[in-house]
């Protein structure tokens, strides 16, 4: 009988149980979770949880049940020598010995081992006391990382930006027992830059068979922000790592490691996991792990075509070389759902709903779950891993996110950018070693890059345009240190509230630079800021601008500001001042930063707070003119190989350049007409950074959500073009871009007809519902 015991309780172990149950006769998981129990099914062996944790009891259980193979998930069990004890008892186990597992349990051993066997890795030094470590970091001129020597649950890597910060961290490690026994020794190593890849392999002690390359996402928040976690999602294979690359990394890293282990009397049997950084100088090994990764396992095992039981048996029996390990074509992606507060303190026992509604082709691997009667509840930081396989990575991600949207528990966290490829530094942080610009010569200001005459030239060029926006409330002229605005007009208001907003155009300026067209970004800025205060119910009073560059080019700056003045005149507001800054060394040559501040006013009793929003209210979408001022970093990337200057067939004959530079719409006129007609506005959302999905919930109170019908409006063709060219999954499109809707109004259902009559282009796109966030249907 092919009976299997799996040690562990996480998502990795559920994935192992799922894979092994397809070739074993019976699977046990100790201690397991709410997902690792099921009866026998067609072609799938039954799986049972076993409430055992100590090795002696597990050995007795294996003998009693005549289990043929034990598989170890967590690193702690390996470090404690579970394989040694099972082997001494004459039992078969798929896991490295305690001595071989030192590759993971001691980073100091691992780094020294890599050095001995010429495995490429970062430069490093090892320390066992605070004083020596601090003295060493004071000598470093390049960025570095501090790593605890022992196992620290994936959180033993810290990234100080300064020597003082490093000293504080080292004090906490050595004197504050930050990592306990795991921090009795630390490794200080250079911080690497590049893309990370997880390359796992099966090993029988001689033969090494790599798995497809995988990539996980460690940070808790989108854009690789926030603290590190055990992993918030993963995908495989990695598009930017070729078959040839995998073969090379196997020759340079994995095979030397297995040979080196054998040469040192530590025969390595099990899964060897190499965390790699693809640097400009070649591959570097960040670390070795001596087991399956989590969540990489959830993204790898669904692609394995050869029965996992056969592969593991071949490893244990030393005959891996004779086995043909095959993998499915296509891609697999997994998205982790985590508890509120994770990776810090989190609440357990929160009910999970929607599991039964997940489509059959989507796998849900349980991690931190347990059963409470008939209800499945949360029992850990990482709760579930939602996994899908498809022909392409984009499709796999899209299916995984379909599953994610079916599952709910209070406070759930998940990343919406799994599969986005970024260059990173070690453990995904900023490089803090950028050199400071050279000091400016006191008597050669122009030679240093600052041209006062050019600044004065700009003032002369824009004076007339700025004055054209002035009204009797403006008390200052161009060129003074601050703009003056007479607030006497506010006396007519019973209880005036000032509303202010500051924003910028962002990387849309790079599009303007590429096309050398600067006549629209100024208007973009003003209209963006108008919309930002409009959602509070405020009408604008005045505007101030900020334009900065490495080198002032008067004609370009004048064109940008003319766009601002045109938009201000159209809105009936004054541009009363601002700043034109020339900052060589801060900005790259040719780059321009455009930002501004707007101030408006609203009666206190008419401030729109969102408190009036209620279930049953209707969502009215006002069309955008295109991207507005959001998502241009992604847009430029996916469209960079296209010709932006010729008519494009997918854009109805318009050019990509014209489409990308379309001016951000102002909704002041349309919304004012609604207010003047007495249309009750419960809420407004300006769709800026975060697109459709993120912006609307910002105006909601708790327990309020929205359902949006994606087919309720025509999506401009530029978005379809970008999605196709960039293989962008649909959830990310709605999270990054406005998708053709620039402003959403929340109004009572009985005022929909009146609203559409006043604004014929308005679309009814959804409604307010109970719950949280935005559902796209």
């Amino acid at each position: 009988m092919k009976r299997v015991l799996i040690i562990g309780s996480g998502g990795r172990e559920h994935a192992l149980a799922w894979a092994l149950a397809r070739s074993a006769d019976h699977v046990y998981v100790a201690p397991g979770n709410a997902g690792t129990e099921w009866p026998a099914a067609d072609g799938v062996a039954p799986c049972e949880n076993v409430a055992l944790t100590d090795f002696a009891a597990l050995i007795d259980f294996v003998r009693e049940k005549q289990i043929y193979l034990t598989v170890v998930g967590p690193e702690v069990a390996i470090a404690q020598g579970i394989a040694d004890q099972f082997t001494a008892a004459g039992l078969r186990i798929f896991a490295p010995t305690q001595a071989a597992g030192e590759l993971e349990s001691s980073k100091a051993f691992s780094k020294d081992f890599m050095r001995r066997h010429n495995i490429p890795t970062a430069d490093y030094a090892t320390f066992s006391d605070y004083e020596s470590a601090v003295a060493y970091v004071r000598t470093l001129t390049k960025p570095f990382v501090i790593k605890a020597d022992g196992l620290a649950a994936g959180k033993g890597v810290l990234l100080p930006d300064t020597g003082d910060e490093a000293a504080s961290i080292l004090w906490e490690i050595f004197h504050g027992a930050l990592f306990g026994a795991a921090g009795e020794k630390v490794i200080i190593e250079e911080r690497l830059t590049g893309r990370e890849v997880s390359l796992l392999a099966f090993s029988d002690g001689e033969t090494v068979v790599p798995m497809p390359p995988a990539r996980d996402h460690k940070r808790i928040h989108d854009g690789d922000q926030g603290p590190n976690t055990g992993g918030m999602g993963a995908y495989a294979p990695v598009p930017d790592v070729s078959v040839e690359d995998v073969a090379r990394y196997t020759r340079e890293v994995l095979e030397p490691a297995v040979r080196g282990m054998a040469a040192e009397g530590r025969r390595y049997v099990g899964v060897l996991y190499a965390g790699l950084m693809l640097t400009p100088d070649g591959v570097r090994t960040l670390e070795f792990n001596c087991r399956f990764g989590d969540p990489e396992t959830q993204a790898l095992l669904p692609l394995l075509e050869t029965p996992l039981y056969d592969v593991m048996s071949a490893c244990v029996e030393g005959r891996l070389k004779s086995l043909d390990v095959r993998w499915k074509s296509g891609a697999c992606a997994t998205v982790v759902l985590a508890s509120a507060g994770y990776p810090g303190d989190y609440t357990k026992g929160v009910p999970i709903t929607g599991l039964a509604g997940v489509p059959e082709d989507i796998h849900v691997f349980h991690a931190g779950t347990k059963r409470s009667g008939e209800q499945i509840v949360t029992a850990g930081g990482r709760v579930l891993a939602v996994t899908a396989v498809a022909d392409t990575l984009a499709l796999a991600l899209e299916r995984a996110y379909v599953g994610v949207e079916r599952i709910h528990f209070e406070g759930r966290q998940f990343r919406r950018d799994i599969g986005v490829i970024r260059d990173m530094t070690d453990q995904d942080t900023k490089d803090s070693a950028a050199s400071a610009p050279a000091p400016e010569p006191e008597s050669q200001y122009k030679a240093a890059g600052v041209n006062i005459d050019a600044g004065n030239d700009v003032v002369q060029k824009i004076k007339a345009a700025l004055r054209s926006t002035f009204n009797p409330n403006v008390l200052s002229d161009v060129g003074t240190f601050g703009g003056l605005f007479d607030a006497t007009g506010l006396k007519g208001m019973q209880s005036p509230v000032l509303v202010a907003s500051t924003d910028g155009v962002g990387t849309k300026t790079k599009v303007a630079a590429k096309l050398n067209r600067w006549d629209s970004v100024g208007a973009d800025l003003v209209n963006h800021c108008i919309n930002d205060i409009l959602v509070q119910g405020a009408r604008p009073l005045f505007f101030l601008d900020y334009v900065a560059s490495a080198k002032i080019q008067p004609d370009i700056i004048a064109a940008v500001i003319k766009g601002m003045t045109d938009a201000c005149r159209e809105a009936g507001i004054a541009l009363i001042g601002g700043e034109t800054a020339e900052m060589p060394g801060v900005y790259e040559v040719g780059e321009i930063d455009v930002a501004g501040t707007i101030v408006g006013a609203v009666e206190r009793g008419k401030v729109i707070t969102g408190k009036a929003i209620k279930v049953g209210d209707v969502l009215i979408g006002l069309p955008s003119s295109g991207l507005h001022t959001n998502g241009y970093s992604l847009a430029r990337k996916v469209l960079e190989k296209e010709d932006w200057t010729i008519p494009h067939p997918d854009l109805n004959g318009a050019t990509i350049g014209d489409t990308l530079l379309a001016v951000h719409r102002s909704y002041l006129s349309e919304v004012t007409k609604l207010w003047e007609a007495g249309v009750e506005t419960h809420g407004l959302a300006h769709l800026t950074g975060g697109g459709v999905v993120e912006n609307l919930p910002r105006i909601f109170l708790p327990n309020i959500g929205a359902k949006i019908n994606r087919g309720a409006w025509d999506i401009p063709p530029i978005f379809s073009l970008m999605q196709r060219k960039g293989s962008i999954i649909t959830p990310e499109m709605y999270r990054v871009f406005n998708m053709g809707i620039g402003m959403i109004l929340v109004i009572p259902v009985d005022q929909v007809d009146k609203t559409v009559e006043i604004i014929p282009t308005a679309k009814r796109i959804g409604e307010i519902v109970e719950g949280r966030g935005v559902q796209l249907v």
Side-chain angles (χ1 to χ4, degrees):
M1 292 286 287
K2 297 178 180 179
R3 294 191 179 98
V4 178
L5 170 65
I6 299 169
I7 308 297
S9 61
R12 164 182 51 208
E13 287 72 37
H14 187 181
L16 287 166
W18 171 85
L20 285 165
R22 277 143 182 79
S23 49
D25 297 314
H26 204 117
V27 177
Y28 299 92
V29 187
N33 57 45
T36 53
E37 280 194 295
W38 59 78
D42 186 22
V44 179
C47 189
E48 297 180 52
N49 287 343
V50 181
L52 299 173
T53 54
D54 68 271
F55 296 167
L58 288 167
I59 288 172
D60 290 342
F61 178 82
V62 168
R63 286 172 171 162
E64 176 192 344
K65 297 295 184 181
Q66 298 183 323
I67 288 170
Y68 190 66
L69 179 67
T70 298
V71 178
V72 181
E75 62 271 23
V76 173
I78 295 170
Q80 293 174 348
I82 187 172
D84 304 75
Q85 294 191 36
F86 269 61
T87 302
L91 303 175
R92 292 158 48 95
I93 187 166
F94 181 81
T97 63
Q98 187 176 37
E102 201 170 359
L103 263 181
E104 178 173 7
S105 63
S106 172
K107 290 184 175 64
F109 170 83
S110 182
K111 295 292 290 189
D112 291 343
F113 174 85
M114 286 187 264
R115 180 174 283 172
R116 289 196 299 273
H117 295 280
N118 298 314
I119 296 171
T121 190
D123 289 338
Y124 71 99
T126 304
F127 300 92
S128 299
D129 67 279
Y130 170 76
E131 289 75 15
S132 306
V134 170
Y136 177 73
V137 300
R138 297 294 189 192
T139 69
L140 299 177
T141 58
K142 294 182 178 180
F144 57 90
V145 300
I146 299 173
K147 296 183 177 181
D149 173 54
L151 298 176
K155 299 172 186 177
V157 180
L158 299 169
L159 302 109
D161 289 323
T162 66
D164 289 341
E165 186 180 350
S168 176
I169 289 171
L170 290 167
W171 178 270
E172 290 297 326
I173 293 175
F174 285 112
H175 297 297
L178 179 62
F179 298 117
E184 291 178 356
K185 189 182 294 182
V186 299
I187 295 86
I188 299 172
E189 68 178 41
E190 67 172 320
R191 193 180 300 181
L192 301 174
T193 302
R195 287 164 287 122
E196 286 193 45
V197 174
S198 302
L199 187 58
L200 285 71
F202 296 107
S203 171
D204 64 359
E206 295 181 5
T207 300
V208 176
V209 176
M211 304 181 200
R215 180 171 284 136
D216 72 336
H217 297 255
K218 287 291 187 187
R219 301 278 185 164
I220 184 68
H221 298 309
D222 291 353
D224 296 316
Q225 301 298 308
N228 274 339
T229 70
M232 293 300 294
Y235 59 96
V238 177
D240 52 311
V241 177
S242 67
V243 173
E244 293 76 19
D245 291 332
V246 171
R248 184 169 71 256
Y249 305 152
T250 302
R251 290 193 306 269
E252 295 178 1
V253 178
L254 294 171
E255 289 178 348
V258 171
R259 287 197 305 268
M261 282 277 106
E264 296 187 11
R266 303 169 184 250
R267 185 169 179 267
Y268 193 99
V269 175
V271 168
L272 180 60
Y273 169 146
L276 305 176
M277 180 72 82
L278 311 183
T279 79
D281 298 320
V283 66
R284 297 291 185 270
T285 308
L286 295 173
E287 64 178 356
F288 282 115
N289 294 323
C290 296
R291 36 71 189 181
F292 277 102
D294 188 341
E296 290 94 341
T297 305
Q298 295 91 304
L300 285 167
L301 291 185
L303 295 173
L304 180 62
E305 194 169 85
T306 303
L308 180 60
Y309 182 90
D310 294 351
V311 179
M312 290 180 166
S313 295
C315 290
V316 172
E317 296 165 8
R319 54 179 179 81
L320 182 59
K321 187 175 182 179
S322 64
L323 184 67
D324 181 19
V325 180
R326 300 179 304 278
W327 299 88
K328 300 174 184 177
S329 60
C332 184
T334 189
V335 180
V336 170
L337 302 184
S339 296
Y342 177 78
D345 295 335
Y346 52 84
T347 302
K348 299 180 181 180
V350 179
I352 303 170
T353 61
L355 291 168
V358 176
E360 291 184 359
D361 65 323
I362 299 171
H363 309 295
V364 180
F365 295 120
H366 290 238
T369 65
K370 69 176 184 179
R371 292 188 180 274
S372 178
E374 296 299 315
Q375 177 71 57
I376 294 178
V377 300
T378 65
R382 291 186 296 169
V383 178
L384 301 165
V386 184
T387 305
V389 176
D391 291 338
T392 66
L393 176 58
L395 291 174
L397 287 162
E398 184 161 359
R399 290 301 296 161
Y401 279 108
V402 167
V404 166
E405 291 303 326
R406 301 292 177 90
I407 302 168
H408 298 278
F409 54 88
E410 187 176 356
R412 67 171 185 164
Q413 297 185 81
F414 66 93
R415 284 184 56 162
R416 296 170 174 81
D417 63 345
I418 303 301
V420 176
I421 299 173
R422 296 181 177 88
D423 279 358
M424 297 168 281
T425 56
D426 181 19
Q427 295 304 315
D428 205 6
T429 187
K430 293 182 179 179
D431 184 345
S432 63
S435 59
E440 298 169 345
E442 294 180 356
S443 61
Q444 298 183 22
Y445 207 24
K446 184 174 180 180
V450 179
N451 190 338
I452 295 176
D453 292 335
N456 291 333
D457 189 14
V458 168
V459 173
Q460 295 305 314
K461 288 178 178 293
I462 66 175
K463 268 190 174 183
L466 263 66
R467 287 190 182 122
S468 70
T469 71
F470 288 3
N471 56 49
N473 293 319
V474 178
L475 304 181
S476 60
D477 202 346
V478 180
T480 56
F481 289 96
L484 301 178
F485 188 87
D486 186 353
T488 305
L490 299 181
K491 286 184 176 180
M493 303 176 68
Q494 293 182 353
S495 182
V497 173
L498 295 180
V499 181
S501 176
T502 296
D503 219 314
V505 176
T507 56
K508 188 172 183 178
T509 57
K510 287 186 174 289
V511 177
K514 179 174 181 176
L515 298 170
N516 195 27
R517 287 173 45 185
W518 298 98
D519 55 344
S520 63
V521 292
D524 286 324
L525 176 65
V526 173
N527 291 344
H528 184 131
C529 290
I530 288 173
N531 294 338
D532 277 351
I533 66 168
L534 191 63
V535 301
Q536 310 294 325
R539 290 174 171 83
L541 298 173
F542 58 85
F543 186 82
L544 301 100
D545 72 277
Y546 172 85
V547 183
S549 61
K551 179 180 176 60
I552 287 181
Q553 300 178 66
D555 290 337
I556 291 178
I557 303 299
V560 172
I561 294 178
K562 183 180 184 302
M564 296 181 196
T565 59
D566 290 343
C568 285
R569 278 198 310 275
E570 184 173 348
I573 61 176
L575 201 169
I576 66 172
E579 170 72 3
T580 301
E582 188 172 42
M583 294 190 287
V586 175
Y587 296 94
E588 294 292 332
V589 175
E591 288 189 351
I592 292 182
D593 190 14
V594 181
T597 296
I598 196 167
V599 175
V602 58
E603 287 282 3
R604 187 181 186 90
K606 294 184 178 180
V607 174
I608 299 175
T609 64
K611 293 181 179 180
I613 296 174
K614 60 182 185 297
V615 173
D617 281 350
V618 173
L619 304 179
I620 297 293
L622 304 185
S624 70
S625 57
L627 278 67
H628 282 183
T629 50
N630 305 298
Y632 278 85
S633 295
L634 181 55
R636 290 184 299 107
K637 177 182 177 182
V638 302
L639 297 174
E640 62 183 350
K641 295 182 180 179
E642 303 292 310
D643 188 332
W644 292 11
T645 62
I646 62 175
H648 196 288
D650 290 352
L651 300 179
N652 300 320
T655 69
I656 290 176
D658 288 340
T659 305
L660 293 181
L661 286 179
V663 174
H664 192 132
R665 282 189 62 188
S666 164
Y667 298 97
L668 177 63
S669 175
E670 292 163 302
V671 172
T672 298
K673 289 179 182 177
L674 292 179
W675 290 342
E676 291 174 348
V679 173
E680 186 179 356
T681 309
H682 289 171
L684 292 97
H686 183 202
L687 301 195
T688 56
V692 178
V693 174
E694 295 291 332
N695 281 283
L696 190 55
R698 291 168 60 182
I699 68 172
F700 293 163
L701 296 177
N703 303 317
I704 290 290
K707 183 182 293 185
I708 292 181
N709 178 6
R710 290 188 295 176
W713 73 93
D714 295 326
I715 296 175
I718 184 63
F719 298 103
S720 301
L721 176 63
M722 290 189 296
Q723 183 170 19
R724 188 174 70 255
K725 293 292 182 182
S727 298
I728 307 170
I729 60 173
T730 298
E732 186 177 14
M733 289 293 297
Y734 281 84
R735 190 168 187 270
V736 175
F737 302 110
N738 64 52
M739 300 302 288
I741 297 294
M743 180 78 81
I744 295 178
L745 290 76
V746 184
I747 64 172
V749 65
D750 61 356
Q751 299 191 34
V752 172
D753 292 342
K754 186 175 183 180
T755 299
V756 175
E757 180 181 350
I758 295 170
I759 310 176
T761 58
K763 301 289 184 182
R764 178 173 179 166
I765 64 171
E767 60 272 341
I768 297 297
V769 297
E770 293 181 349
R772 291 176 179 268
V774 173
Q775 304 173 41
L776 297 173
V777 296

